[in-house]
Amino acid sequence: MSKFCPSCGEELKDDAKFCKNCGASIPTSEQTQTTGNVQQNYPIQTAENDHKIAMILGYVFALLIPLIGIIIGIYMATRNDSANAKKHGKYIIILALVVWFISFLMVMRG
């Protein structure tokens, strides 16, 4: 009996634990229940990629060097694998723009 990756559809060896094409985890027999001829797969919960290092660097650079903060914020805001990263990316962009504006005002008054 052939197995197929639930994520990308690649044909797999019967003893495969991960897809060789996309790297997705393949459910084991404990995670899959078979009822008669109907096979029910239960999704494996994976931790979403939270981009913690980029998030920390984004906030630091947004405060110290706003241009780099904006670049990191754009990177974070365009991540499709983490809603948390998207949210913080937007916050980093806003913070960097506010710091940049305040710096501009201080220089002009100066």
Side-chain angles (χ1 to χ4, degrees), residues 54-55 57-58 61 67-77 89 92:
M55 197 179 307
L57 288 175
F61 279 115
L67 179 61
I68 295 175
I70 290 171
I71 293 168
I72 294 173
I74 291 170
Y75 165 79
M76 298 275 294
I92 290 168

Side-chain angles (χ1 to χ4, degrees), residues 81-96:
D81 58 346
S82 174
N84 194 34
K86 281 184 157 230
K87 176 181 76 173
H88 284 282
K90 292 174 187 173
Y91 293 160
I92 290 168
I93 293 169
I94 292 168
L95 177 63

